[in-house]
Amino acid sequence: MNSIEGATFVDDRGLLKFVNDFDFNKVKRFYQVENFSKGFIRAWHGHIQEEKFVYVVKGSVLLGTVDLATDEIKKTVISSHSPKVVHIPKNHANGFKTLEDDTIIIFFSTSTLTESKGDDIRFDWDKWNIWEDDYR
């Protein structure tokens, strides 16, 4: 799980957040997920071919990924206060837990919806139970 760091700029007009090094060339679609309450878990969703990129628009999440070939687990916190895009490679499952109310996340995908449906693997939310507060 690699991340592409962004930055912020503030002046008298307001705040600008950006991740200028993110390359959209592989992106075929995107979708937005909004969880209304803190502590909500959406997990685990895997793909063999599809890659995803995650950006938190508002709030923060604990993001987990699992390499489906090795079972290696990685986790990171993504926050709208420190903009970055996190890459989820192919052959990985992912899931997240919201750490703030009204969190908004955008997922960018390298597959069309039809391609994604043919490459979709689901697991129980607690298969890799990383959701305790040990990420701090």
Side-chain angles (χ1 to χ4, degrees), residues 44-58:
W44 290 93
H45 188 189
H47 296 281
I48 301 303
Q49 295 301 318
E50 182 176 354
E51 298 175 60
K52 293 187 180 177
F53 300 90
V54 184
Y55 178 76
V56 174
V57 176
K58 180 182 177 190

Side-chain angles (χ1 to χ4, degrees), residues 31-98:
Y31 53 95
Q32 180 172 307
V33 178
E34 297 185 37
N35 284 357
F36 300 130
S37 61
K38 176 182 175 178
F40 194 84
I41 297 169
R42 290 184 186 238
W44 290 93
H45 188 189
H47 296 281
I48 301 303
Q49 295 301 318
E50 182 176 354
E51 298 175 60
K52 293 187 180 177
F53 300 90
V54 184
Y55 178 76
V56 174
V57 176
K58 180 182 177 190
S60 58
V61 300
L62 170 62
L63 175 71
T65 63
V66 178
D67 184 323
L68 296 174
T70 65
D71 241 17
E72 179 184 10
I73 298 170
K74 293 184 180 178
K75 51 189 172 177
T76 188
V77 172
I78 310 173
S79 171
S80 62
H81 303 290
S82 180
K84 66 180 172 182
V85 174
V86 175
H87 177 231
I88 301 170
K90 62 184 178 179
N91 204 37
H92 279 69
N94 72 86
F96 66 88
K97 175 182 177 179
T98 51

Side-chain angles (χ1 to χ4, degrees), residues 111-127:
S111 297
T112 66
L113 186 55
T114 301
E115 292 167 341
S116 181
K117 286 181 180 178
D119 186 35
D120 190 56
I121 307 167
R122 301 288 178 147
F123 303 94
D124 290 338
W125 71 274
D126 60 351
K127 178 166 178 64

